[in-house]
Amino acid sequence: MTLAMPAAKHAGEELRDSALRQLDSAAKALNLDPGMHQFLSTPERTLIVSVPVVMEEGHLEVFTGYRVQHSTGRGPGKGGIRFHPSVSLAEVEGLAMLMTWKCAVTDLPLGGAKGGVAVDPRKLTRRQIERLTKRYTAAILPIIGPEQDIPAPDVNTDDSTMAWIVDTVTMMTGRHSPAVVTGKPVELGGSRGRTEATGRGVAFVTLEAMKRAGRAPENTRVAVQGFGNVGSITAKALAEAGCRIVAISDVSGGYTSASGIDVPKAIAHVQSSKQRLLEGFSGLSKISNDELLAMDVDVLVPAALEGVITPANAGSVRAKLVVEGANGPVTADADRMLADRGVTIVPDVLANAGGVVVSYFEWVQSRAGFYWELDEVEKRLEIYMRRAMELVLSTSKTYDCTLREAAFIVAVDRVARAIERRGIFP
Ligand code: NAD
């Protein structure tokens, strides 16, 4: 009898499994109650919705959407919405769980959630994307709200998507509802500094980790994978701090220059190109995204999608510091391989938490109807990032563990304590 080979794991399943294994290891270190461990391993609530959209030609197409609330133990759910063909329930569940830890590690009074629609937005017109967003919002309306669950932008969604969500909720409830989402346009109650917050936070923790390793920015070569919101702002902030950005990439491939890339010029190129891609950016050598990950650099920032560093390519990573700009770019097995080789990894739940920190500020501002100046936002962002970074570093010393394990220990402990203090209902 021949046994069928098990099917290869989908990247979303890999991400969820990684998140669960990280929880398991934190639970072990904390000697967590088995019942609490089980509670934290499962999402509190999952909603799967069908999203019909009438296309320009008049026919109907139906997409599948998800909203998952992993934990509301510390506050309302918080997490982005992504539009991507690979969106699956497993991926959304894994990302929702990561949001719980991210909000907890930065000590925000928020829980973790995530949403998404399995769709390739490049195949839709802007009008169709607006209709898709509004229908998806109407479908998840029963479980979102300023005191329930507050979405935000993620891959392929932006401030316009958030404006459409505000409009839908406002029209359906009859109440102006800016606090239902964060990442809104500033003219609609968005926070100053929100667009740059994630990348600035990634750059901040990168520079702090470099400082602790005794590495000066002038002698540091950096490769950044992904040149969207997170990757481009991270590259720009690190270049401003004196680092040499020697490679950048997006879905069109990688671009390298040993003498350093002019990041603002690359951003201007992307903004002026029809496809919003680096393609056609002149004066640089072209490489593949795989080659970028294996480059001889000091710092590698994967800031595109999850699951890009796996056991298959972890051995070829040469950077000594990997900073997870994206969510879940290093799989659990690859993480262990890199840690064994002495590579420091600043984990996603800490590294890219700047976005959710300023999202929290935006939620506070929208609820109060009082808006802060940019320097206020930036000053407070640094306070939150520094505090989280210092606690994770000291926890990694106390437990003699990696920064990822330390971040999970801090986060899981905070969430479990909050739930214990509340008591299990009823
Ligand atoms: P984005 O859509 O603005 O940019 C994504 C970038 O990745 C684009 O440059 C795209 O071309 C590139 N890309 C896509 N597929 C790729 C591939 N196969 N290889 C190489 N590059 C590829 O998205 P974003 O907001 O920058 O988010 C990037 C990552 O950061 C995601 O994992 C997201 O969940 C995470 N994140 C985003 C925020 C935020 O505030 N935007 C906050 C926390 C975490």
Side-chain angles (χ1 to χ4, degrees):
M1 190 176 84
T2 50
L3 287 173
M5 288 289 284
K9 252 193 217 162
H10 182 274
E13 288 168 11
E14 183 72 52
L15 180 125
R16 183 182 56 188
D17 288 359
S18 292
L20 280 169
R21 275 193 271 167
Q22 284 148 4
L23 167 64
D24 293 347
S25 108
K28 200 167 158 203
L30 289 163
N31 206 9
L32 195 70
D33 172 77
M36 180 66 77
H37 184 178
Q38 193 187 348
F39 187 34
L40 295 179
S41 304
T42 356
E44 270 176 28
R45 184 186 270 157
T46 295
L47 182 60
I48 304 178
V49 296
S50 150
V51 188
V53 179
V54 178
M55 309 309 267
E56 292 336 315
E57 312 76 35
H59 74 282
L60 195 64
E61 274 196 38
V62 184
F63 304 93
T64 304
Y66 308 88
R67 187 73 191 171
V68 173
Q69 291 159 359
H70 168 257
S71 171
T72 55
R74 283 171 50 89
K78 186 87 195 81
I81 290 172
R82 78 170 48 174
F83 291 166
H84 196 273
S86 72
V87 164
S88 66
L89 179 59
E91 179 181 88
V92 180
E93 283 181 350
L95 292 167
M97 182 186 271
L98 288 175
M99 285 307 299
T100 301
W101 313 137
K102 200 177 291 184
C103 292
V105 85
T106 40
D107 208 11
L108 308 180
L110 297 167
K114 199 82 183 189
V117 179
V119 58
D120 187 348
R122 287 175 308 178
K123 296 192 176 142
L124 301 188
T125 63
R126 191 168 164 80
R127 182 78 190 100
Q128 286 161 348
I129 297 171
E130 180 179 342
R131 285 204 291 266
L132 173 102
T133 305
K134 291 188 167 176
R135 181 65 188 235
Y136 167 71
T137 307
I140 64 166
L141 186 60
I143 66 163
I144 60 167
E147 275 142 13
Q148 284 174 284
D149 179 359
I150 310 124
D154 192 69
V155 175
N156 293 330
T157 55
D158 57 17
D159 58 351
S160 295
T161 323
M162 297 306 114
W164 294 330
I165 296 178
V166 169
D167 182 61
T168 307
V169 177
T170 300
M171 297 315 290
M172 289 187 71
T173 61
R175 289 184 178 83
H176 184 59
S177 308
V180 71
V181 287
T182 60
K184 300 178 288 290
V186 172
E187 54 270 42
L188 200 62
S191 178
R192 293 182 177 86
R194 170 61 185 88
T195 311
E196 300 79 17
T198 306
R200 288 184 75 100
V202 174
F204 175 82
V205 297
T206 305
L207 294 168
E208 285 295 306
M210 281 164 46
K211 210 187 283 171
R212 277 166 174 87
R215 175 166 282 293
E218 309 75 69
N219 304 325
T220 304
R221 297 157 305 159
V222 183
V224 181
Q225 186 191 49
F227 207 67
N229 176 293
V230 181
S232 65
I233 304 287
T234 302
K236 183 166 170 267
L238 287 175
E240 279 166 4
C243 299
R244 188 150 36 109
I245 310 299
V246 295
I248 52 177
S249 76
D250 64 13
V251 75
S252 73
Y255 303 81
T256 179
S257 161
S259 58
I261 295 167
D262 183 339
V263 179
K265 206 166 147 197
I267 292 175
H269 174 87
V270 170
Q271 280 170 352
S272 65
S273 87
K274 199 161 164 265
Q275 294 271 13
R276 304 222 139 224
L277 291 176
L278 284 163
E279 194 147 41
F281 186 48
S282 54
L284 301 178
S285 316
K286 188 108 199 263
I287 51 169
S288 69
N289 264 291
D290 288 342
E291 284 166 334
L292 178 141
L293 296 174
M295 273 183 69
D296 181 16
V297 289
D298 306 299
V299 179
L300 174 64
V301 184
L305 288 180
E306 66 270 4
V308 291
I309 301 178
T310 67
N313 62 1
S316 58
V317 169
R318 283 191 275 175
K320 279 276 162 240
L321 175 63
V322 175
V323 183
E324 294 187 323
N327 285 315
V330 181
T331 68
D333 291 332
D335 186 67
R336 216 162 302 118
M337 287 169 66
L338 291 175
D340 288 347
R341 277 180 32 216
V343 177
T344 299
I345 303 176
V346 185
D348 47 9
V349 291
L350 171 65
N352 66 32
V356 75
V357 170
V358 176
S359 273
Y360 162 60
F361 297 163
E362 180 175 328
W363 176 68
V364 169
Q365 294 170 70
S366 290
R367 294 179 95 207
F370 177 75
Y371 293 90
W372 309 350
E373 295 303 324
L374 180 61
D375 60 348
E376 182 76 25
V377 172
E378 288 180 346
K379 201 171 62 196
R380 288 184 192 264
L381 171 63
E382 188 170 328
I383 293 171
Y384 274 74
M385 293 305 292
R386 184 179 300 285
R387 204 166 45 197
M389 181 84 182
E390 279 169 5
L391 183 58
V392 169
L393 283 165
S394 67
T395 305
S396 85
K397 287 205 180 82
T398 310
Y399 284 84
D400 188 23
C401 63
T402 64
L403 296 182
R404 188 189 308 281
E405 286 161 338
F408 271 72
I409 287 170
V410 168
V412 172
D413 188 42
R414 278 185 172 152
V415 176
R417 276 171 198 266
I419 294 171
E420 269 161 25
R421 295 306 300 257
R422 287 171 61 158
I424 298 294
F425 183 83

